[in-house]
Amino acid sequence: MSDQQSSIGIGAKFKGKITGAKALEINGDVEADIDIGKITIGQDAHFKGGIKADLAVISGIYEGTMQAESIWLTDTSRVSGEIRYQSLQMDRGAALNCRVVYNWDDTDQKPKKSKSKDKVEDQPDDIIEEDK
Amino acid sequence: MSEITYISKEVSVEGVLEADDLKVVVAGSFSGNINANEVILEEGSRFDGEVDARIIVIEGELKGKVKSYQLKVSETARVDGELQTNSIEVASGAEIAGSISRVS
């Protein structure tokens, strides 16, 4: 049990801070800001908040600003907000209503808050505006 | 397996976790509130806050409030706080400071 990676189970709700994890699997309903090596957002998950990661695998619902070297959006993923990546894989069926930025550079562009009008069902649609 | 919430050793968590009929295992550190069916605070873990669950097993360090139907405190545990339970088992070697009362 003790070598197991951290996870938030299906049906669990968490709001707060998670630090120190190398890898994390989220299957529940989570509101947090996370800085991590690898994060997996499962099919049943709903994640809201910022992510900084080396690798992010998204199969559930994500809302927020994500910054990762490598992002894999599977066919069940629903993303709103903003993603910044160096390498991106998207499966057929992935639903993106977000800004997508390649090869971000923190120093020369300060990200304005999330864009996109989001039409994804079963989530509260806070309407966020598109700006260029 | 995906129904268990697990906080591994090197991880610190701060916040509120609601896992009403689920199981939560903490091996790292948790500060805040946990609401679950079963909570296991493993040896080496640190918990600070309130935990409310049907079954609670404490093997690590805990500070705060505990409310459970069934509570087990193992020999590696160090507990400081308010324990509310209808059934308690304490292993020899466990350190408990604070109060123990029935769930009202």
Side-chain angles (χ1 to χ4, degrees):
Chain A
M1 197 86 189
S2 54
D3 292 334
Q4 205 188 318
Q5 79 170 17
S6 294
S7 62
I8 306 289
I10 295 177
K13 281 188 192 151
F14 175 76
K15 196 174 170 183
K17 269 198 327 206
I18 299 175
T19 50
K22 290 189 193 82
L24 178 63
E25 191 179 325
I26 291 172
N27 292 305
D29 194 334
V30 173
E31 227 182 297
D33 282 315
I34 290 177
D35 192 340
I36 202 168
K38 183 191 171 186
I39 185 162
T40 309
I41 297 183
Q43 210 172 324
D44 302 293
H46 189 158
F47 186 99
K48 221 175 180 177
I51 291 178
K52 264 192 187 168
D54 297 331
L55 171 63
V57 179
I58 315 293
S59 303
I61 300 171
Y62 175 78
E63 287 175 68
T65 301
M66 170 167 34
Q67 180 171 312
E69 308 247 313
S70 229
I71 299 178
W72 177 16
L73 304 170
T74 76
D75 58 344
T76 51
S77 62
R78 299 279 178 276
V79 177
S80 60
E82 179 170 323
I83 57 181
R84 307 170 145 244
Y85 70 98
Q86 258 149 22
S87 141
L88 173 67
Q89 179 183 341
M90 227 173 101
D91 293 349
R92 174 183 287 259
L96 272 74
N97 278 300
C98 66
R99 203 166 105 102
V100 179
V101 181
Y102 167 65
N103 227 354
W104 75 87
D105 188 347
D106 276 333
T107 52
D108 70 17
Q109 54 181 147
K110 272 270 162 299
K112 298 238 167 73
K113 262 289 131 145
S114 0
K115 343 278 125 161
S116 93
K117 190 173 260 182
D118 102 48
K119 288 181 192 128
V120 181
E121 54 282 80
D122 55 24
Q123 69 182 56
D125 30 359
D126 14 327
I127 312 276
I128 320 160
E129 261 149 55
E130 185 83 50
D131 94 9
K132 300 255 155 86
Chain B
M1 214 53 183
S2 56
E3 264 143 49
I4 291 182
T5 294
Y6 184 78
I7 308 298
S8 61
K9 255 184 190 149
E10 73 283 7
V11 179
S12 309
V13 171
E14 227 183 289
V16 179
L17 178 63
E18 280 171 49
D20 303 323
D21 44 2
L22 305 166
K23 182 174 172 179
V24 175
V25 180
V26 178
S29 98
F30 194 108
S31 161
N33 295 6
I34 299 180
N35 220 307
N37 177 51
E38 186 179 351
V39 175
I40 298 175
L41 305 172
E42 289 192 337
E43 187 177 350
S45 70
R46 293 174 67 170
F47 181 89
D48 192 342
E50 286 180 35
V51 54
D52 184 340
R54 199 172 60 84
I55 301 169
I56 298 176
V57 179
I58 305 173
E59 298 167 354
E61 248 176 74
L62 178 139
K63 245 188 197 171
K65 273 190 191 171
V66 172
K67 191 175 171 187
S68 76
Y69 176 73
Q70 204 181 313
L71 177 64
K72 195 175 159 185
V73 183
S74 82
E75 68 273 14
T76 51
R78 287 181 56 185
V79 177
D80 189 350
E82 246 174 75
L83 311 179
Q84 259 189 63
T85 182
N86 285 334
S87 152
I88 187 168
E89 179 189 334
V90 182
S92 149
E95 287 177 40
I96 299 183
S99 66
I100 300 173
S101 62
R102 235 181 258 153
V103 178
S104 45

